Amino acid sequence: MSLWTSLEPASATVDPGGSTRVRLRLRNTGDVVDEYRFEPVGPIAPWTTVEPQTLRLYPGTTGTVELTFAPPRTPDATAGPHPYAVRITPTEHPEATTVPEGNLTITPFTEVRAELVPPTVKGRFRGRPRLAVDNLGNTKLTASVNGSDNGDQLSYDIHPSNVQIEPGRAAFVKTTLKPRRIIWFGAKEQRPYTLSVLRSGADPMPVEGTYVQRGFLPRWLATFFGVITALAVTFVMLWIAYKPNVTSGADEKVAEAGTTLAPSPSASPPPALPPAPTMTSAPPAAAPGTDAGAGGGSGGAGGGGAKATVTAKPKADTAATAVHRLAAHVPSGRHVCYRAYVQGDGWQKPVCDGTVAGTVGQGKAVKALNVAVYGVQGSAGNAMVYNPQSTNGQGNWKPDWTAIVADGKDNYIGSTKKNDPYMVTFVWNVGSGQACSVVKISGQDWDGQTCNNARPDLNTAGHFDNSRFVEAIKLTV
């Protein structure tokens, strides 16, 4: 078998989200009729199609197939040159394969998303929000972060102030907000601020948040202290101003003693104090439905009634009870158990170590999660929930994080209240090792597994699309 091939052109360029074509020419230089099968190979094979997939050539004839490259506009299509190849297998001689090779250059694109977690923080002396910066482009992102507000009312401690993020990854920037003026008394005040993501050659990306500064002492307590102080000053002034009229009867007694020889009658002794009461235990309360006065005249006879029987409520089977059972049977290694609160169904039974929690294909949203871990020094998490008034297409983060720093304890993320919204996505982490998740979002297939290192890194499970919700999850540590 003999075959001649040629790629035209051998090197091509394509934009992510677009497509380009390369022509593959081949000639049957053998002496028999043969049919050739074409198969793209290499790292960009999933984005490559060959038309036609088979070609039949007579000896000495030439044929042409077209290779179409269509990389997606995602971080997976990293910018730069990528080698590709096409495996050509003849039907008559399948062992004599030919693999022509070429080069495809994917152009770079930049897409950045930033969000405050949570967008509103509260405190008297400081607030500690985190800025999540996602690199959705296909090149490494280098950026810096600074803070500002109207009136220069806050100071900003940002760490790290410069970040480098690989494509498809995220970085969390810790920020400490400190008010320049302390509110000693009075109501809380809202102080809007902005954290800006700065990139070379691009406009700043502002992310707005709110710091709610509380007063050191509430107004009612200041009023209470003022009233108490005024009453105390008034009492002292009255005590000083009041002088009782004290007279002495000593002179009258001396005169009386001089005019009579009889001794004065002795003073009467003061009356004796009554004995202290004897402390006795109170009689037991009568049972409901019995006559509390029955048997009172017979010295308590007949006072005994039937005792009420109290049945203990069975203990709920939570993630913590499940992880304790699992650790008792498999004490080595790390474990995570979890259960989902499904809208309309309530709490499910807990599952562990990568088992599906929630529902698939039923259109039921997860409202809350109950997580417990073993061997990873506890967990922490927060939920983004549906926001009916969203203007940016994203949900709202819950205002408070839930953190359990010990293994074997229940951690609850989200809310089970009747009118509270469902989960759009959630983030969580562990104290040691890695936190991994696979999530099923409504209207989409299962996402791929994502893993992040221990705190302060966070594992984001899902997307930020306000129009979708979490259906099911699988967690591992």
Side-chain angles (χ1 to χ4, degrees):
M1 192 282 296
S2 181
L3 182 67
W4 171 85
T5 61
S6 174
L7 287 169
E8 300 175 357
S11 298
T13 302
V14 64
D15 296 328
S19 63
T20 189
R21 293 184 178 182
V22 173
R23 180 176 298 174
L24 173 62
R25 299 180 60 194
L26 64 161
R27 180 185 299 117
N28 184 359
T29 57
D31 53 2
V32 296
V33 178
D34 210 339
E35 186 177 43
Y36 303 94
R37 297 191 306 272
F38 306 94
E39 178 186 4
V41 294
I44 63 173
W47 310 326
T48 307
T49 57
V50 182
E51 293 180 358
Q53 296 182 351
T54 60
L55 185 64
R56 186 178 181 86
L57 294 178
Y58 288 92
T61 60
T62 301
T64 302
V65 297
E66 285 191 347
L67 307 179
T68 302
F69 303 97
R73 189 178 175 84
T74 64
D76 296 332
T78 56
H82 297 267
Y84 70 89
V86 180
R87 182 186 293 118
I88 305 174
T89 305
T91 304
E92 297 296 331
H93 302 280
E95 73 283 353
T97 60
T98 302
V99 186
E101 298 180 355
N103 187 73
L104 178 69
T105 300
I106 299 178
T107 60
F109 77 94
T110 302
E111 185 175 347
V112 182
R113 182 170 58 196
E115 184 174 6
L116 278 170
V117 183
T120 301
V121 292
K122 302 177 182 180
R124 292 179 175 84
F125 304 108
R126 62 181 55 86
R128 292 188 175 94
R130 286 190 175 189
L131 180 66
V133 183
D134 296 292
N135 183 6
L136 304 180
N138 64 351
T139 60
K140 180 183 290 187
L141 171 67
T142 300
S144 60
V145 180
N146 64 11
S148 61
D149 61 274
N150 292 331
D152 195 25
Q153 297 176 334
L154 302 173
S155 64
Y156 303 86
D157 183 10
I158 300 174
H159 180 76
S161 58
N162 296 281
V163 293
Q164 287 189 341
I165 311 173
E166 296 293 335
R169 305 291 291 180
F172 283 84
V173 178
K174 298 179 181 179
T175 304
T176 301
L177 309 175
K178 294 182 180 180
R180 300 187 185 276
R181 181 180 62 87
I182 297 176
I183 302 175
W184 294 105
F185 300 99
K188 59 187 178 182
E189 297 182 9
Q190 293 189 358
R191 306 197 185 281
Y193 67 94
T194 302
L195 295 182
S196 299
V197 180
L198 308 176
R199 296 169 291 153
S200 177
D203 294 334
M205 176 181 291
V207 183
E208 297 181 351
T210 302
Y211 171 60
V212 180
Q213 184 181 356
R214 298 185 175 125
F216 183 74
L217 293 176
R219 186 181 297 275
W220 67 265
L221 190 58
T223 304
F224 175 77
F225 283 153
V227 172
I228 292 297
T229 303
L231 291 176
V233 171
T234 303
F235 177 78
V236 171
M237 296 300 294
L238 290 175
W239 178 266
I240 295 174
Y242 177 72
K243 295 181 179 180
N245 187 16
V246 180
T247 59
S248 175
D251 294 340
E252 298 177 359
K253 292 296 182 180
V254 172
E256 184 180 353
T259 57
T260 180
L261 295 177
S264 61
S266 60
S268 301
L273 296 175
T278 304
M279 300 299 295
T280 59
S281 59
T290 63
D291 188 359
S298 58
K307 296 182 178 179
T309 303
V310 179
T311 303
K313 184 178 180 181
K315 188 176 181 180
D317 189 9
T318 67
T321 59
V323 83
H324 279 292
R325 286 196 302 268
L326 180 59
H329 291 287
V330 189
S332 62
R334 300 185 294 270
H335 304 288
V336 57
C337 292
Y338 45 95
R339 59 177 179 153
Y341 188 93
V342 179
Q343 191 172 24
D345 293 348
W347 284 113
Q348 295 182 331
K349 293 291 185 181
V351 295
C352 302
D353 293 344
T355 307
V356 176
T359 61
V360 178
Q362 299 183 21
K364 295 181 179 181
V366 173
K367 293 188 63 176
L369 295 175
N370 171 209
V371 181
V373 295
Y374 175 81
V376 293
Q377 302 177 14
S379 66
N382 195 7
M384 174 180 278
V385 297
Y386 171 71
N387 179 14
Q389 300 177 350
S390 174
T391 58
N392 60 358
Q394 300 179 5
N396 276 343
W397 288 103
K398 300 287 287 182
D400 297 317
W401 282 66
T402 58
I404 302 295
V405 298
D407 288 335
K409 302 291 185 180
D410 281 314
N411 190 4
Y412 290 91
I413 306 172
S415 174
T416 62
K417 293 183 180 179
K418 181 178 179 181
N419 296 325
D420 281 3
Y422 51 75
M423 277 191 184
V424 174
T425 185
F426 65 95
V427 294
W428 72 301
N429 64 12
V430 293
S432 64
Q434 283 190 328
C436 300
S437 62
V438 182
V439 66
K440 171 69 172 65
I441 300 297
S442 60
Q444 298 180 357
D445 293 333
W446 283 94
D447 286 352
Q449 185 183 56
T450 61
C451 296
N452 288 82
N453 295 326
R455 65 175 71 98
D457 282 1
L458 290 173
N459 179 262
T460 302
H463 311 281
F464 301 96
D465 189 346
N466 194 48
S467 64
R468 302 185 184 274
F469 53 81
V470 176
E471 280 190 348
I473 60 161
K474 293 186 284 187
L475 303 180
T476 53
V477 294

